[in-house]
Amino acid sequence: MSENTNVWEVFIQSKNGLAHKHVGNVHASDKEMALQNARDLYTRRNEGSCIWVVKSEYIVSSESEDGEAFFDPSNDKMYRHPTFYNMPEGAKHI
Amino acid sequence: MSLLNYTLRIADSSLISGQRLAEWCTNAHTLEEDIALSNIALDLFGQANILLEYASELDGNKTADDFAFKRNEREFFNLKMTEQPNGHFGDTIVKLFLFSSFNFLFYNKLSQSKNKNLSAFAFKSLKEVKYHLKHSKSWMVRLGDGTKESNKKVQESLNSLWEFTGEFFEMDEIDNELNKKGIGVNNKSIKEDWNNIINTTLLDSKLKRPEDGYMQTGSKSGLHTEHLGRLLSEMQYLQRAYPDAKW
Amino acid sequence: MNENKFQDKIDSERKIEPKDWMPEAYRKHLIRQISQHAHSEIIGMQPEGNWISRAPSLRAKMILLAKVQDEAGHGLYLYSACETLGVSRQELIQQLHDGKAKYSSIFNYPTLSWADMGAIGWLVDGAAIVNQVSLQRTSYGPYSRGMIKICKEESFHQRQGYEIMAEMASGTPEQKEMAQDALNRFWWPSIMMFGPHDGDSPRTGNAMKWKIKRQTNDELRQSFIDKTVHQAEIIGLTIPDPDLKWNEERGHYDFGKMDWDEFWDVVNGKGPCNKQRLDHHKKAHIDGKWVREAAKAYSKKQKDLIIN
């Protein structure tokens, strides 16, 4: 039997209302163990209010070689950003 | 005096099981579990600390550390199960599971104590013990329902540790006195709930509940197995060897 | 082409991430350094673990256990960082067991009294922190992030050690003697933790060029010594080096010759606890095999149950 266990990526919500943030990974053979290991490793200093774990193999990442194709096209789409627009002097709440 | 004694019983069980669990540090089968067992040990030391501080207040003379490091084995009142050697991981998990399932129910009741110190302590500890129970229970299931070898091992652990569960539900004069005053717990009253936890977990774990046979007793009056003396001589070494030193 | 792009990235202080192209030698250097670092955290648990059961107060016991536990955590962060380079934790542990991967030699010395818990926290963690603070700016992203997390968590480690030393140094004559003895035994191995002199350290060149290391061994060692001398004076302990004295011109302390023969002996297996530390780690691993197998078998059964 292979000794390698599954690797799980760990995401922690530090406070209620905030987004979960990636903090690292743990090894575990099942999901319950992954949650408990994540709790013991990443929240020893009261860092969390909720934990997600997901098997690393299910994370899909963009390739760094594709970086330019993936991200550069959004460079020149300034109209997606609110500061792109000219507002009449004195207009409020918009 | 009864209250002091009652407090020490709870404190000592936490302290001694913490001491045992901490022995796992650097010895667990994965780093993750090493950390998990240390976490539980830290909870238990924290619990012991709160209660020994309270004992010190009740006593008026000794400090919490005096209680931990300067009492002899006949003056310790921890449940005999807690002083049993760690054995293999299965032994430790069975011990932790049996003890935590009892503590979970015990603290639940104790959190309603009329004694503010004990109820506050129990309320805080309940959250910790709930996790100890969860953690040990998931390992009971993994080991019981894992391989043939692990099932056999953990069944043997269960069989040999079973005789230490009788003490959980004993009531002596002190227990009765404090229970009457609304301070202490009626241990007999939690037996049924304990049976339920045990039976469902064992079912999930594909393990057989051992028959009640000979049951160990004595810790309430400071009678222990031979293991406690050795544990204490190690734990108390520095305090005993350098009685004038402060640490 | 790739190589130039890579070096440009390094020179402009951008981090290298796991999926980025990197020279094979960079990857190898990182694996060696990070795994050595990880193994040091893990083997380093043992000398301190040796005193958890004998800690002299409840407070000291909890602190020490929490500290050793942190070291396990830090080992895990580092194994994770190493795994992003395409090597599994299993392989890393195998390399440790086979003697192919090293760990810091300091942990091959025994902890003989409670004061050693002080000396380790104050000196060994102190030296490690100087190194780790510098490594927060290392060029490999996962390593850098691990270091940042570790530095944040480790800030209490050195303090707990120094507190023990300070208390013992002002305690009974026996306690003071233990404290001085611990300093005597741990001083030289601690300053040798930074590794050989820059001139004798063949890999320093590449490591600096690639910004894996940000400061050289000698720079880091000097900064540690400069910090520590005063701390020893305050608590009335004597650093066991007759040549130690302030050099006005350099603005640093001069210090005596280190015994590199002893250093290399211990690195190469001839130290008081080399065998013990490795045997201990192996035994825990072997004893735990049936547990890991059980967990694996259990999870397989669960998967077989779910038909979807």
Side-chain angles (χ1 to χ4, degrees):
Chain A
M1 192 177 296
S2 147
E3 279 260 352
N4 277 328
T5 47
N6 292 313
V7 182
W8 306 67
E9 300 302 320
V10 181
F11 300 81
I12 304 237
Q13 182 187 40
S14 57
K15 254 198 286 187
N16 171 280
L18 296 180
H20 286 66
K21 196 178 156 201
H22 183 245
V23 290
N25 64 30
V26 287
H27 286 223
S29 56
D30 57 65
K31 56 188 178 184
E32 184 64 32
M33 194 193 291
L35 264 181
Q36 293 184 13
N37 288 348
R39 177 254 191 200
D40 284 325
L41 180 59
Y42 292 105
T43 67
R44 300 199 301 288
R45 286 172 173 76
N46 212 355
E47 293 100 331
S49 67
C50 180
I51 302 176
W52 289 347
V53 290
V54 57
K55 273 192 191 171
S56 304
E57 63 190 72
Y58 295 138
I59 301 272
V60 183
S61 163
S62 61
E63 295 292 325
S64 60
E65 285 82 54
D66 296 343
E68 291 171 7
F70 246 75
F71 303 114
D72 288 358
S74 66
N75 274 350
D76 56 2
K77 296 189 176 59
M78 285 308 290
Y79 46 80
R80 288 193 192 278
H81 299 274
T83 47
F84 177 77
Y85 298 92
N86 300 317
M87 289 290 110
E89 192 89 5
K92 281 179 188 165
H93 308 300
I94 181 158
Chain B
M1 201 56 205
S2 301
L3 182 58
L4 175 61
N5 196 298
Y6 193 77
T7 304
L8 287 174
R9 288 176 185 179
I10 310 169
D12 290 348
S13 284
S14 295
L15 176 60
I16 302 301
S17 22
Q19 177 78 3
R20 280 295 186 216
L21 270 187
E23 289 172 18
W24 270 101
C25 188
T26 75
N27 290 302
H29 60 272
T30 59
L31 275 172
E32 281 87 348
E33 189 59 26
D34 214 287
I35 291 175
L37 293 177
S38 294
N39 257 351
I40 297 176
L42 281 170
D43 286 344
L44 291 166
F45 288 137
Q47 292 171 11
N49 197 35
I50 293 173
L51 286 181
L52 291 179
E53 288 290 350
Y54 181 48
S56 157
E57 206 181 300
L58 291 171
D59 177 84
N61 202 4
K62 290 182 181 149
T63 67
D65 278 339
D66 289 341
F67 275 114
F69 296 97
K70 290 182 177 162
R71 273 182 299 156
N72 295 324
E73 56 177 303
R74 290 284 276 110
E75 300 162 305
F76 267 80
F77 304 109
N78 57 287
L79 292 161
K80 279 183 172 180
M81 179 177 288
T82 61
E83 73 209 31
Q84 297 313 301
N86 282 338
H88 58 60
F89 183 69
D91 294 325
T92 294
I93 284 300
V94 168
K95 214 163 41 140
L96 184 63
F97 167 67
L98 294 172
F99 177 59
S100 303
S101 52
F102 163 72
N103 257 349
F104 171 65
L105 299 167
F106 178 79
Y107 287 160
N108 203 10
K109 291 267 183 211
L110 190 66
S111 65
Q112 293 145 35
S113 169
K114 282 187 183 152
N115 178 298
K116 288 259 157 53
N117 288 75
L118 290 181
S119 65
F121 159 80
F123 188 74
K124 177 197 174 282
S125 306
L126 193 57
K127 289 184 245 172
E128 295 168 349
V129 170
K130 212 168 164 178
Y131 186 78
H132 305 170
L133 179 58
K134 188 181 170 75
H135 188 75
S136 55
K137 202 168 143 182
S138 42
W139 272 112
M140 287 293 289
V141 179
R142 274 182 210 113
L143 296 178
D145 194 14
T147 61
K148 249 190 199 148
E149 183 195 10
S150 69
N151 176 279
K152 183 165 175 279
K153 273 193 141 117
V154 78
Q155 181 69 57
E156 281 168 8
S157 311
L158 190 62
N159 296 348
S160 66
L161 285 160
W162 193 253
E163 65 184 39
F164 295 102
T165 57
E167 279 197 329
F168 294 170
F169 309 103
E170 284 179 354
M171 292 290 284
D172 72 352
E173 285 156 29
I174 292 178
D175 290 306
N176 286 323
E177 180 199 326
L178 291 178
N179 181 235
K180 253 188 217 145
K181 289 184 187 159
I183 294 171
V185 175
N186 178 0
N187 294 352
K188 289 193 185 346
S189 74
I190 53 181
K191 176 88 191 252
E192 202 184 315
D193 286 341
W194 186 78
N195 279 336
N196 284 338
I197 299 180
I198 300 300
N199 293 344
T200 25
T201 307
L202 294 186
L203 197 69
D204 290 346
S205 315
K206 314 239 157 88
L207 294 167
K208 285 191 213 57
R209 180 175 170 134
E211 296 289 325
D212 283 359
Y214 167 71
M215 285 291 175
Q216 294 273 354
T217 177
S219 69
K220 284 183 197 283
S221 47
L223 290 166
H224 290 276
T225 60
E226 290 174 351
H227 304 295
L228 183 67
R230 283 173 188 280
L231 180 149
L232 292 181
S233 60
E234 188 174 332
M235 184 173 89
Q236 299 177 337
Y237 152 68
L238 280 170
Q239 291 264 2
R240 301 280 194 178
Y242 305 96
D244 303 327
K246 283 206 179 77
W247 304 93
Chain C
M1 177 60 197
N2 272 339
E3 190 104 34
N4 289 342
K5 234 172 141 182
F6 172 81
Q7 191 63 45
D8 281 351
K9 209 168 177 183
I10 301 258
D11 292 340
S12 59
E13 294 291 332
R14 278 147 70 206
K15 300 285 181 223
I16 306 300
E17 294 296 337
K19 292 203 155 194
D20 294 345
W21 184 90
M22 61 185 85
E24 191 52 23
Y26 176 83
R27 201 179 74 89
K28 282 217 169 104
H29 189 112
L30 277 173
I31 290 177
R32 189 177 46 238
Q33 181 171 331
I34 302 174
S35 72
Q36 187 171 323
H37 200 157
H39 296 326
S40 299
E41 294 279 357
I42 300 312
I43 298 293
M45 294 165 70
Q46 290 182 37
E48 291 177 287
N50 183 33
W51 280 89
I52 293 169
S53 66
R54 293 177 289 172
S57 70
L58 287 169
R59 177 177 182 270
K61 195 188 279 292
M62 289 191 274
I63 292 173
L64 185 62
L65 181 56
K67 177 169 184 262
V68 177
Q69 190 202 35
D70 270 353
E71 280 151 16
H74 298 167
L76 280 181
Y77 299 160
L78 288 160
Y79 283 131
S80 287
C82 214
E83 282 180 305
T84 62
L85 293 157
V87 46
S88 72
R89 197 199 299 175
Q90 183 57 29
E91 288 169 85
L92 295 169
I93 288 172
Q94 197 56 50
Q95 288 169 3
L96 174 69
H97 289 177
D98 295 344
K100 283 183 201 147
K102 303 279 185 222
Y103 55 86
S104 182
S105 270
I106 190 91
F107 302 120
N108 288 320
Y109 292 90
T111 50
L112 302 175
S113 81
W114 175 250
D116 291 13
M117 297 305 98
I120 288 189
W122 176 35
L123 302 173
V124 177
D125 287 314
I129 288 166
V130 168
N131 191 31
Q132 287 165 351
V133 164
S134 169
L135 283 171
Q136 290 182 103
R137 297 190 302 124
T138 190
S139 59
Y140 187 56
Y143 192 24
S144 159
R145 291 191 284 277
M147 279 298 120
I148 290 168
K149 197 158 17 188
I150 287 173
C151 285
K152 211 156 92 190
E153 294 191 352
E154 228 169 50
S155 50
F156 90 84
H157 290 188
Q158 194 187 11
R159 283 174 169 232
Q160 73 89 31
Y162 190 55
E163 184 189 85
I164 291 174
M165 285 305 248
E167 258 172 45
M168 291 186 74
S170 64
T172 64
E174 285 159 316
Q175 282 178 303
K176 178 154 193 185
E177 199 184 311
M178 280 189 250
Q180 182 62 53
D181 176 56
L183 173 56
N184 293 350
R185 282 181 288 114
F186 278 96
W187 174 255
W188 292 102
S190 298
I191 64 171
M192 286 195 278
M193 277 173 72
F194 295 99
H197 286 305
D198 298 343
D200 306 323
S201 180
R203 296 191 194 104
T204 298
N206 269 340
M208 296 294 288
K209 183 179 107 189
W210 289 329
K211 298 192 178 174
I212 293 176
K213 290 183 77 158
R214 305 302 306 242
Q215 285 167 290
T216 69
N217 296 352
D218 284 330
E219 285 167 3
L220 292 167
R221 180 169 18 243
Q222 185 71 59
S223 128
F224 171 70
I225 291 173
D226 290 349
K227 267 185 221 183
T228 310
V229 174
H230 181 59
Q231 293 165 2
E233 281 166 5
I234 291 186
I235 58 174
L237 295 178
T238 311
I239 290 179
D241 179 358
D243 297 323
L244 189 75
K245 63 168 182 291
W246 179 251
N247 182 327
E248 195 65 54
E249 216 170 290
R250 291 204 308 128
H252 291 295
Y253 279 93
D254 289 337
F255 52 95
K257 266 205 166 76
M258 292 166 274
D259 183 352
W260 292 107
D261 290 340
E262 178 186 319
F263 176 81
W264 288 115
D265 272 351
V266 181
V267 168
N268 292 315
K270 285 177 274 179
C273 297
N274 293 57
K275 187 173 180 319
Q276 181 192 333
R277 300 287 186 243
L278 215 51
D279 285 353
H280 181 114
H281 195 272
K282 282 182 199 165
K283 183 176 185 302
H285 195 71
I286 293 165
D287 287 352
K289 192 163 182 271
W290 71 274
V291 179
R292 294 190 298 273
E293 281 174 359
K296 194 143 202 172
Y298 170 76
S299 98
K300 194 172 173 301
K301 284 185 203 173
Q302 301 312 299
K303 266 177 230 150
D304 294 346
L305 281 177
I306 305 166
I307 307 156
N308 54 359

